[in-house]
Amino acid sequence: MNEKIEIYFYIKEGLERLKKNRKKKKTHVPVRMNLLFFAVFLLFSLLVLRLGLVQIVNGESYKKEVERTEDVVVNTGVPRGKIYDRFGNVIVDNIPLNAITYTRTTNTSIEEMFDVATKLSAYIEKDTKEVTERDKKDYWLLNHNKEADQKVSKEELKKLQNNEKLSEEDVNSKVYQMKLDRITEEELSSLSNKDLEVIAIYREFSRGYALNPQIVKNEGVTPEEFAVVSEHLSELPGVNTTTDWKRSYVFNDTLRTILGNVSSSREGLPKNLVDSYLARDYNRNDRVGKSYIELQYEDILQGQKEQIKNVTKGGSVLESVLIQEGQRGKDMVLTIDMELQREIEKIIEEELRKQIVNRHESPNLDRAFVVMMDPNTGEILAMAGKQYVKDSETGKYEMRDAALGTFTSSYEVGSVVKGATVLTGYMTGKLTPGETLVDEPIIFGDDRPKTSWFNRSGRIPMTDLFALEKSSNSYMWKIALRIAGQEYVPKQNIVNNPEAFDILRNHYAQFGLGVSTGIDLPGESSGLIGDVSTQGLLLDLAIGQFDTYTTMQLAQYVSTIANDGYRVQPHIMKEIREPINEKDSLGPILFEKETNVLNRIDATQSQIEHVQKGFYRVYHYPEGTAYHQFKDAPYNAAGKSGTAETYVDRKLNYNTTLIGYAPFDHPEVAYATMVPSSHIQGSGIADPYVNKYISKRVMDKYFELKKERGEKDKEKDPTSIEKKVENAEEAEEQQGEQREQNN
């Protein structure tokens, strides 16, 4: 009985203990489940957050990265815009060329490229002048594996491999260099002409980027070469036949230095401009403007590239999609009158040749410059320069285009600045229009007298008008002294006032002398300013024999006087036109350059007109320094001549200049002529007047052409909106001739 009771209590105790355990388990299970659910919630939240971050925040950058590696956009160049003169004559055109190109993929091997180059060499001839010694060595190693391996011994290789400082890449690089260094001249000489052609073709293959077509040959591609390569494209992976272009300069050397140059497909972006072009999304092998007009208006002439997106996988192109059609560059109309330009260049050449033969008179004469412009608008009608130089190869002398010198080279210009000096006298209140001063030798202390060219000892009272007509130095010196705060007293010491230099130069700058004219071409010189400020040099400054100026500055200066005091910015770009396919017409106007007045001089209308009268007397009064050249001219011109002392090899030379405008009452053309070192000082040597003969003939030609064209000839009206291409047939004929030369 007792045993049964014990068993009963034992079972009962066990059941109670089991209940307690079950209660404990029931209380733990929900807690663990909750923790598990919370952990899953956190992980899921993090996943959603991460997906949002990838898709929303960084989605665009990841997409671009995929496109960069899998979708490659290729920009294909298009022909540049054409350049015309003001009457619609083609100046710069494009010649179509047969071309052979090669496009490599991202995983094309060197061996594959050499294999294609070898096959292609059987169908075309390729110039080998640019093949370097390194190119030859690389090719020899590629084709002589066993001999190349023997160039480096096992001991040398093991020594390099045991060097813990060198990575595997470093070891391979050093081994390859050792092989290159140990190739003998005899081994290189074993390469045949055909091998060299293969190397030259491979050089073109390896230029630029993958998936970007590289020009293999575009000049001299014969019809036979073009045809046979086209027939065998299936066995030449990456090779294609297409049409390329080359810049054509219709008027040959005329204005050639101003037009500038375009880089070749082989040259690509010029080294000095590569960063600038890359920043504007250019490719390294793009052809671009390198200098002057082609550079200045690159954004206009370049055109819109054709864009093709290549969808790639594993380096292979799966699909090519056109995303932007190409369009050649916009056409540009210049302010230049090309017929006038050519005639002026001819005149300069003829007058230079006449005087160059007189070496005893003009031993250093070798160049001359002329700028003609509309004084009311700033449009440059012609900017011509010629230089007589010795060819370094042939040893013969020839005339070369030097038009750049019209705005990049500066010289002492002499008395042409006297109009600005007189007006500065008016503007500073130091001179009254019509005031009489005495032309006489100027003597300071014990110094030698300074005199006008026509008066060595006398005293000649004269007005400002006669001073301009006769070109009095003494009159200008007295104005300069007044600006410096001193009246002239014979043999009195000169007062030094450095501020007078600033006063004179600041007023000259109102006319464009000593400052940038603002011409729309790169590289303009503003001239040289003397860095000494002794008072004697102030007198030289007042007659144009201290600071230097360019021909373009003189043209702007005389235009300012001609148009009643407005300094107008000179420009060579007249219009931008939409490119069209019609060869006989220009497209619609997209942009037209407007007249830009930089400033008006601080003089009254009556003061300006007074100086204009002085310029008129220079051309029309018997004492005028240009009277004999222009007295019978039918176009009623006005202006000022100048002669400046300069030294060449320590020997005194003279620069001669002439500026002017016409007609006097309603100026439509202004010009400046510069002839550096036109003659020397010597017994019996007189001024040969090269500057005056050039100027007279240039002005005669301008009005002669105007008469020939007729004022009512609307087809040759430079302001016409619907402009015809005047020389379309001639330009096409020249293109054909150049194509034949290239082939």
Side-chain angles (χ1 to χ4, degrees):
M1 186 69 178
N2 290 333
E3 290 179 359
K4 289 182 180 180
I5 293 172
E6 288 179 5
I7 292 171
Y8 170 78
F9 283 109
Y10 179 78
I11 293 171
K12 185 179 180 182
E13 184 179 353
L15 290 171
E16 289 177 355
R17 195 178 295 134
L18 182 61
K19 280 184 180 181
K20 288 181 180 179
N21 288 337
R22 283 181 178 175
K23 287 182 180 180
K24 285 183 180 180
K25 285 181 181 179
K26 285 182 181 179
T27 57
H28 285 302
V29 168
V31 173
R32 290 175 181 174
M33 287 295 292
N34 288 338
L35 288 174
L36 178 61
F37 288 145
F38 183 70
V40 170
F41 172 76
L42 285 179
L43 290 173
F44 184 75
S45 299
L46 288 173
L47 179 61
V48 171
L49 183 64
R50 181 60 179 169
L51 286 172
L53 187 67
V54 169
Q55 292 184 348
I56 299 172
V57 180
N58 297 325
E60 192 64 28
S61 62
Y62 285 130
K63 181 181 177 183
K64 289 181 178 179
E65 179 66 17
V66 170
E67 289 179 346
R68 188 184 71 81
T69 55
E70 298 296 332
D71 298 340
V72 180
V73 176
V74 176
N75 294 321
T76 303
V78 294
R80 294 172 73 81
K82 298 180 182 181
I83 301 177
Y84 299 85
D85 83 339
R86 67 190 293 108
F87 293 113
N89 292 295
V90 182
I91 301 175
V92 185
D93 206 343
N94 303 303
I95 300 176
L97 300 173
N98 288 334
I100 298 168
T101 66
Y102 177 77
T103 306
R104 60 187 171 91
T105 64
T106 54
N107 59 356
T108 303
S109 67
I110 294 175
E111 290 78 8
E112 290 172 331
M113 292 168 67
F114 266 116
D115 180 58
V116 176
T118 302
K119 292 177 181 178
L120 183 59
S121 69
Y123 304 131
I124 67 172
E125 291 184 3
K126 179 66 178 173
D127 187 12
T128 61
K129 287 187 296 187
E130 292 193 9
V131 174
T132 65
E133 183 176 304
R134 174 60 187 266
D135 294 329
K136 296 176 184 178
K137 289 183 174 182
D138 288 332
Y139 181 76
W140 189 91
L141 290 177
L142 186 68
N143 288 275
H144 298 81
N145 291 327
K146 291 183 179 180
E147 295 92 330
D149 290 340
Q150 293 173 3
K151 297 287 183 183
V152 180
S153 67
K154 293 181 180 179
E155 291 76 12
E156 289 175 316
L157 179 59
K158 189 174 182 180
K159 184 178 180 180
L160 289 171
Q161 292 174 337
N162 291 335
N163 189 338
E164 296 180 355
K165 295 181 180 179
L166 299 177
S167 65
E168 184 178 353
E169 185 178 345
D170 294 334
V171 171
N172 292 335
S173 176
K174 287 185 176 294
V175 169
Y176 192 78
Q177 187 61 48
M178 291 167 69
K179 291 178 181 180
L180 289 172
D181 295 339
R182 294 172 184 180
I183 297 175
T184 65
E185 290 292 332
E186 183 179 356
E187 288 169 330
L188 279 186
S189 63
S190 67
L191 297 177
S192 65
N193 290 333
K194 182 54 75 174
D195 289 328
L196 297 181
E197 277 194 345
V198 173
I199 297 171
I201 293 172
Y202 170 78
R203 279 174 57 89
E204 305 299 342
F205 283 7
S206 58
R207 293 176 184 271
Y209 303 107
L211 299 178
N212 279 269
Q214 306 299 314
I215 298 291
V216 178
K217 186 177 181 180
N218 61 353
E219 292 192 40
V221 177
T222 65
E224 293 77 13
E225 287 178 331
F226 192 82
V228 73
V229 172
S230 299
E231 291 173 6
H232 293 84
L233 290 178
S234 60
E235 64 187 63
L236 299 169
V239 175
N240 195 15
T241 51
T242 184
T243 302
D244 195 30
W245 57 271
K246 178 184 178 183
R247 215 63 166 141
S248 168
Y249 299 91
V250 178
F251 292 93
N252 300 318
D253 290 338
T254 302
L255 205 68
R256 188 65 189 82
T257 55
I258 299 297
L259 295 172
N261 291 302
V262 176
S263 63
S264 65
S265 57
R266 178 175 300 161
E267 180 184 2
L269 301 182
K271 291 181 180 178
N272 62 320
L273 300 171
V274 64
D275 292 336
S276 171
Y277 280 125
L278 288 176
R280 290 185 284 167
D281 204 28
Y282 280 76
N283 293 329
R284 289 185 180 273
N285 63 337
D286 281 343
R287 279 172 282 184
V288 296
K290 296 195 299 182
S291 56
Y292 300 103
I293 288 178
E294 294 278 17
L295 171 62
Q296 182 75 15
Y297 292 102
E298 165 66 22
D299 292 342
I300 293 167
L301 296 171
Q302 176 66 19
Q304 177 179 285
K305 297 179 181 179
E306 180 182 79
Q307 289 190 347
I308 298 175
K309 182 166 72 173
N310 292 316
V311 181
T312 66
K313 186 174 183 180
S316 299
V317 178
L318 301 179
E319 182 185 11
S320 294
V321 181
L322 178 66
I323 59 176
Q324 176 177 281
E325 290 188 359
Q327 184 182 44
R328 75 173 172 87
K330 295 177 177 61
D331 295 334
M332 184 164 68
V333 178
L334 302 184
T335 61
I336 295 289
D337 177 347
M338 208 60 179
E339 187 176 4
L340 177 64
Q341 174 78 26
R342 298 180 77 188
E343 291 293 340
I344 291 176
E345 290 186 5
K346 182 180 177 182
I347 290 168
I348 294 174
E349 281 194 27
E350 290 174 354
E351 294 299 330
L352 277 181
R353 290 185 190 279
K354 288 179 185 178
Q355 186 58 26
I356 282 173
V357 296
N358 300 318
R359 277 302 178 196
H360 66 289
E361 294 180 358
S362 307
N364 300 303
L365 173 62
D366 67 346
R367 70 195 70 183
F369 308 99
V370 173
V371 172
M372 295 195 82
M373 63 186 286
D374 184 329
N376 305 299
T377 65
E379 293 185 354
I380 299 172
L381 307 177
M383 48 190 308
K386 285 291 179 178
Q387 186 174 7
Y388 192 63
V389 296
K390 185 177 182 180
D391 189 279
S392 58
E393 295 182 1
T394 65
K396 296 181 180 180
Y397 281 89
E398 60 184 16
M399 286 287 182
R400 291 184 182 172
D401 181 51
L404 284 180
T406 57
F407 66 97
T408 61
S409 301
S410 62
Y411 305 89
E412 297 94 339
V413 299
S415 300
V416 290
V417 306
K418 289 177 179 176
T421 302
V422 170
L423 276 163
T424 300
Y426 300 158
M427 289 186 279
T428 56
K430 305 301 181 182
L431 184 69
T432 303
E435 184 174 350
T436 298
L437 298 176
V438 176
D439 183 290
E440 60 185 317
I442 303 296
I443 305 173
F444 297 109
D446 297 327
D447 293 344
R448 293 176 59 184
K450 295 171 70 71
T451 66
S452 297
W453 65 275
F454 57 86
N455 181 19
R456 302 298 180 186
S457 58
R459 301 182 80 252
I460 306 174
M462 61 178 61
T463 64
D464 46 3
L465 295 183
F466 187 72
L468 289 172
E469 173 191 340
K470 191 71 174 174
S471 198
S472 167
N473 287 344
S474 181
Y475 197 101
M476 306 303 149
W477 290 332
K478 289 184 176 181
I479 295 174
L481 287 173
R482 286 182 175 182
I483 291 172
Q486 179 181 5
E487 287 286 344
Y488 173 67
V489 176
K491 295 189 177 182
Q492 186 181 66
N493 289 328
I494 192 169
V495 175
N496 190 32
N497 181 3
E499 292 182 2
F501 284 86
D502 294 334
I503 294 172
L504 203 54
R505 284 174 177 145
N506 289 339
H507 283 81
Y508 279 5
Q510 294 184 34
F511 300 88
L513 296 174
V515 293
S516 171
T517 65
I519 184 173
D520 52 338
L521 288 170
E524 181 185 12
S525 168
S526 57
L528 298 176
I529 296 176
D531 58 359
V532 183
S533 58
T534 58
Q535 205 65 12
L537 294 174
L538 178 68
L539 307 188
D540 293 336
L541 177 63
I543 61 171
Q545 296 199 159
F546 189 39
D547 291 355
T548 66
Y549 311 109
T550 66
T551 315
M552 187 64 65
Q553 287 174 324
L554 294 185
Q556 187 181 54
Y557 153 57
V558 73
S559 294
T560 303
I561 291 178
N563 67 24
D564 296 335
Y566 296 93
R567 183 165 78 99
V568 178
Q569 179 184 8
H571 60 275
I572 196 168
M573 188 271 282
K574 181 176 176 65
E575 299 165 353
I576 304 300
R577 298 248 179 176
E578 186 73 35
I580 60 175
N581 293 326
E582 296 179 26
K583 68 175 185 178
D584 296 325
S585 300
L586 276 73
I589 295 177
L590 299 175
F591 172 82
E592 187 172 10
K593 177 70 175 178
E594 296 181 353
T595 301
N596 182 22
V597 177
L598 300 175
N599 63 268
R600 189 186 188 280
I601 63 173
D602 190 22
T604 66
Q605 182 64 28
S606 62
Q607 289 171 339
I608 296 170
E609 289 176 356
H610 201 70
V611 170
Q612 289 172 346
K613 291 177 183 177
F615 276 26
Y616 180 86
R617 291 172 62 147
V618 171
Y619 277 50
H620 293 276
Y621 281 39
E623 296 292 324
T625 53
Y627 170 75
H628 293 291
Q629 287 75 34
F630 287 90
K631 61 180 179 179
D632 297 324
Y635 39 80
N636 196 21
K640 185 74 186 75
S641 65
T643 302
E645 295 181 352
T646 188
Y647 285 85
V648 179
D649 297 328
R650 298 184 180 181
K651 190 165 187 177
L652 182 61
N653 282 244
Y654 295 97
N655 299 335
T656 52
T657 54
L658 191 63
I659 59 175
Y661 58 91
F664 177 73
D665 294 326
H666 300 285
E668 65 181 62
V669 61
Y671 78 92
T673 300
M674 175 95 69
V675 185
S677 300
S678 66
H679 60 292
I680 62 171
Q681 183 186 49
S683 177
I685 296 177
D687 186 344
Y689 297 146
V690 182
N691 60 325
K692 295 175 183 177
Y693 291 133
I694 289 176
S695 300
K696 177 60 164 55
R697 291 184 63 188
V698 162
M699 289 290 277
D700 287 349
K701 181 56 65 175
Y702 171 84
F703 286 99
E704 178 186 322
L705 289 175
K706 179 183 176 182
K707 185 177 180 180
E708 288 177 1
R709 289 164 176 161
E711 295 181 1
K712 295 182 180 180
D713 188 354
K714 295 300 182 182
E715 291 185 358
K716 290 191 176 183
D717 180 3
T719 63
S720 174
I721 295 176
E722 295 184 1
K723 194 171 293 183
K724 298 292 185 181
V725 179
E726 295 294 323
N727 64 336
E729 292 184 3
E730 293 90 336
E732 195 168 4
E733 287 177 5
Q734 190 187 51
Q735 281 190 9
E737 292 174 1
Q738 292 191 15
R739 275 198 298 269
E740 290 179 5
Q741 292 175 3
N742 290 328
N743 293 333

